[in-house]
Amino acid sequence: MVTVIPYTEARLLEEWKLRSRLEPLRTDCVITRTDGIDMDTYLLRELRAWYMRELATAPVDTLPLTDIAHGLTMTRAPDGAGMVKLPAGCLRVVSVEMEGWHRPAVIVADHECAEAVAQTSPYSRGGVCRPVAVIYPDRMMLYTPPVDAKGPSRVLAVTEPPEGTYLLTEQMLADMPLNLD
Protein backbone atom coordinates (compact mmCIF):
# COMPACT_ATOMS: atom_id res chain seq x y z
CA MET A 1 0.00 0.00 0.00
CA VAL A 2 1.35 3.40 -0.98
CA THR A 3 1.21 6.10 1.66
CA VAL A 4 -0.20 9.37 0.31
CA ILE A 5 1.05 12.58 1.90
CA PRO A 6 -1.04 15.72 1.32
CA TYR A 7 0.80 19.02 0.89
CA THR A 8 -0.46 22.55 0.57
CA GLU A 9 1.13 24.62 -2.16
CA ALA A 10 3.00 26.72 0.42
CA ARG A 11 4.38 23.66 2.24
CA LEU A 12 5.48 21.96 -0.97
CA LEU A 13 7.14 25.19 -2.12
CA GLU A 14 9.16 25.18 1.13
CA GLU A 15 10.21 21.58 0.45
CA TRP A 16 11.11 22.46 -3.16
CA LYS A 17 13.26 25.38 -2.00
CA LEU A 18 15.01 23.22 0.57
CA ARG A 19 15.81 20.53 -2.00
CA SER A 20 16.97 23.19 -4.47
CA ARG A 21 19.29 24.59 -1.80
CA LEU A 22 17.47 27.93 -1.74
CA GLU A 23 16.45 27.53 1.92
CA PRO A 24 17.02 28.01 4.76
CA LEU A 25 17.79 31.67 4.29
CA ARG A 26 20.28 33.47 6.44
CA THR A 27 18.47 35.88 8.70
CA ASP A 28 21.46 37.46 10.45
CA CYS A 29 21.84 40.25 7.90
CA VAL A 30 19.72 42.83 6.07
CA ILE A 31 19.76 43.20 2.30
CA THR A 32 17.56 45.52 0.27
CA ARG A 33 17.00 44.97 -3.46
CA THR A 34 14.58 46.48 -5.90
CA ASP A 35 15.53 44.55 -9.05
CA GLY A 36 14.99 40.94 -8.03
CA ILE A 37 12.74 38.42 -9.73
CA ASP A 38 9.70 36.88 -8.07
CA MET A 39 11.42 33.61 -7.20
CA ASP A 40 8.33 32.00 -5.66
CA THR A 41 6.32 32.42 -8.87
CA TYR A 42 9.16 30.93 -10.90
CA LEU A 43 9.59 28.02 -8.48
CA LEU A 44 5.84 27.33 -8.34
CA ARG A 45 5.79 26.98 -12.13
CA GLU A 46 8.75 24.59 -12.01
CA LEU A 47 7.14 22.62 -9.18
CA ARG A 48 3.78 22.38 -10.98
CA ALA A 49 5.45 21.22 -14.22
CA TRP A 50 7.41 18.55 -12.32
CA TYR A 51 4.29 17.39 -10.46
CA MET A 52 2.12 17.09 -13.59
CA ARG A 53 4.96 15.28 -15.40
CA GLU A 54 5.20 12.80 -12.49
CA LEU A 55 1.44 12.15 -12.57
CA ALA A 56 1.56 11.58 -16.33
CA THR A 57 4.70 9.44 -16.63
CA ALA A 58 5.78 7.92 -13.30
CA PRO A 59 5.16 4.21 -12.66
CA VAL A 60 1.63 3.66 -11.40
CA ASP A 61 2.77 1.92 -8.20
CA THR A 62 4.53 5.14 -7.09
CA LEU A 63 1.53 7.45 -7.53
CA PRO A 64 -1.47 8.39 -5.40
CA LEU A 65 -4.51 6.60 -6.80
CA THR A 66 -8.18 7.43 -6.29
CA ASP A 67 -11.18 5.16 -6.74
CA ILE A 68 -13.53 7.20 -8.94
CA ALA A 69 -16.15 4.49 -9.59
CA HIS A 70 -18.76 6.00 -7.26
CA GLY A 71 -19.15 9.08 -9.49
CA LEU A 72 -19.36 7.24 -12.81
CA THR A 73 -22.42 6.24 -14.81
CA MET A 74 -22.28 3.63 -17.54
CA THR A 75 -24.45 3.76 -20.61
CA ARG A 76 -24.79 0.97 -23.16
CA ALA A 77 -23.89 1.29 -26.81
CA PRO A 78 -26.15 -0.57 -29.28
CA ASP A 79 -23.40 -3.19 -29.74
CA GLY A 80 -23.34 -4.02 -25.99
CA ALA A 81 -20.20 -2.07 -25.07
CA GLY A 82 -20.26 0.16 -22.02
CA MET A 83 -19.43 3.87 -22.18
CA VAL A 84 -18.35 5.84 -19.13
CA LYS A 85 -17.71 9.58 -19.17
CA LEU A 86 -14.53 10.40 -17.23
CA PRO A 87 -14.64 13.27 -14.73
CA ALA A 88 -12.62 16.44 -15.21
CA GLY A 89 -9.18 16.07 -13.67
CA CYS A 90 -8.88 12.36 -14.44
CA LEU A 91 -5.35 12.07 -15.82
CA ARG A 92 -4.82 8.30 -16.10
CA VAL A 93 -7.07 5.30 -15.60
CA VAL A 94 -4.99 2.43 -14.24
CA SER A 95 -7.50 -0.27 -13.24
CA VAL A 96 -11.15 -1.07 -14.00
CA GLU A 97 -13.12 -3.82 -12.27
CA MET A 98 -16.73 -4.87 -12.72
CA GLU A 99 -18.91 -7.50 -11.09
CA GLY A 100 -19.22 -10.43 -13.45
CA TRP A 101 -15.76 -9.96 -14.96
CA HIS A 102 -13.26 -12.68 -14.10
CA ARG A 103 -10.38 -10.18 -13.81
CA PRO A 104 -9.68 -6.44 -14.06
CA ALA A 105 -9.82 -4.98 -17.55
CA VAL A 106 -6.77 -4.61 -19.75
CA ILE A 107 -6.20 -0.86 -19.99
CA VAL A 108 -5.60 0.42 -23.52
CA ALA A 109 -4.55 4.07 -23.45
CA ASP A 110 -4.04 4.44 -27.22
CA HIS A 111 -7.49 4.30 -28.77
CA GLU A 112 -5.98 3.97 -32.26
CA CYS A 113 -3.78 0.92 -31.59
CA ALA A 114 -4.60 -2.55 -32.93
CA GLU A 115 -6.04 -3.81 -29.65
CA ALA A 116 -8.40 -0.84 -29.39
CA VAL A 117 -9.53 -1.25 -33.00
CA ALA A 118 -10.12 -4.98 -32.38
CA GLN A 119 -12.77 -4.01 -29.81
CA THR A 120 -15.05 -2.71 -32.56
CA SER A 121 -15.73 -6.27 -33.73
CA PRO A 122 -17.97 -8.53 -31.63
CA TYR A 123 -15.69 -11.45 -32.60
CA SER A 124 -12.43 -9.99 -31.28
CA ARG A 125 -13.54 -7.77 -28.44
CA GLY A 126 -12.98 -8.37 -24.76
CA GLY A 127 -15.53 -10.24 -22.71
CA VAL A 128 -15.92 -11.35 -19.11
CA CYS A 129 -12.78 -13.55 -19.27
CA ARG A 130 -10.52 -10.82 -20.70
CA PRO A 131 -12.28 -7.45 -20.49
CA VAL A 132 -10.74 -4.38 -22.11
CA ALA A 133 -11.09 -0.69 -21.25
CA VAL A 134 -10.18 1.69 -24.07
CA ILE A 135 -9.36 5.14 -22.73
CA TYR A 136 -10.21 8.33 -24.63
CA PRO A 137 -9.49 11.86 -23.36
CA ASP A 138 -13.02 12.30 -21.98
CA ARG A 139 -14.45 8.78 -21.70
CA MET A 140 -13.68 5.09 -21.59
CA MET A 141 -15.28 2.29 -23.52
CA LEU A 142 -15.70 -1.02 -21.69
CA TYR A 143 -15.63 -4.28 -23.64
CA THR A 144 -17.81 -5.98 -22.71
CA PRO A 145 -19.92 -5.61 -19.56
CA PRO A 146 -22.09 -8.51 -18.44
CA VAL A 147 -25.73 -8.08 -19.47
CA ASP A 148 -26.93 -7.21 -15.96
CA ALA A 149 -23.96 -4.96 -15.00
CA LYS A 150 -24.79 -1.45 -13.84
CA GLY A 151 -21.25 -0.10 -14.16
CA PRO A 152 -17.71 -0.49 -12.89
CA SER A 153 -17.38 -1.44 -9.23
CA ARG A 154 -13.85 -0.03 -8.95
CA VAL A 155 -11.92 2.40 -11.15
CA LEU A 156 -8.49 3.40 -9.90
CA ALA A 157 -7.17 6.56 -11.51
CA VAL A 158 -4.51 9.21 -11.20
CA THR A 159 -6.44 12.42 -10.65
CA GLU A 160 -5.49 16.04 -10.39
CA PRO A 161 -6.03 17.18 -6.80
CA PRO A 162 -7.96 20.37 -5.95
CA GLU A 163 -6.27 23.71 -6.66
CA GLY A 164 -3.52 24.50 -4.14
CA THR A 165 -3.24 20.88 -3.00
CA TYR A 166 -0.64 18.28 -3.92
CA LEU A 167 -0.82 14.57 -3.12
CA LEU A 168 2.57 12.90 -3.04
CA THR A 169 3.95 9.52 -2.12
CA GLU A 170 7.30 8.69 -0.53
CA GLN A 171 8.61 7.66 -3.97
CA MET A 172 7.52 10.95 -5.55
CA LEU A 173 9.34 12.85 -2.80
CA ALA A 174 12.44 10.75 -3.44
CA ASP A 175 12.21 11.57 -7.17
CA MET A 176 11.89 15.31 -6.55
CA PRO A 177 14.75 17.20 -8.24
CA LEU A 178 17.61 18.25 -5.97
CA ASN A 179 18.49 21.34 -7.99
CA LEU A 180 17.06 23.60 -10.65
CA ASP A 181 17.82 22.78 -14.26
Side-chain angles (χ1 to χ4, degrees), residues 5 7 22 29-30 36 38 43 54 56 59 70-71 79 82 84 97 101-102 114 122 126 131 151 154 159 171 177 180:
I5 308 162
Y7 278 85
L22 297 173
C29 61
V30 176
D38 182 356
L43 292 174
E54 281 289 299
H70 66 279
D79 65 358
V84 175
E97 298 175 19
W101 281 352
H102 298 178
R154 186 171 189 213
T159 59
Q171 185 62 47
L180 299 174

Side-chain angles (χ1 to χ4, degrees), residues 92-158:
R92 291 165 71 181
V93 174
V94 300
S95 177
V96 180
E97 298 175 19
M98 188 178 300
E99 288 190 29
W101 281 352
H102 298 178
R103 55 173 272 181
V106 172
I107 304 298
V108 179
D110 178 3
H111 59 272
E112 295 178 353
C113 75
E115 186 159 18
V117 173
Q119 303 312 306
T120 60
S121 168
Y123 302 107
S124 59
R125 72 171 40 156
V128 294
C129 292
R130 189 181 180 277
V132 176
V134 179
I135 311 302
Y136 293 82
D138 61 341
R139 69 189 186 285
M140 70 178 164
M141 296 299 296
L142 304 174
Y143 300 96
T144 302
V147 176
D148 58 344
K150 302 290 185 231
S153 56
R154 186 171 189 213
V155 177
L156 294 180
V158 177

Side-chain angles (χ1 to χ4, degrees), residues 17-18 21-26:
K17 285 179 179 178
L18 183 63
R21 296 177 181 87
L22 297 173
E23 292 283 341
L25 296 176
R26 288 188 57 190

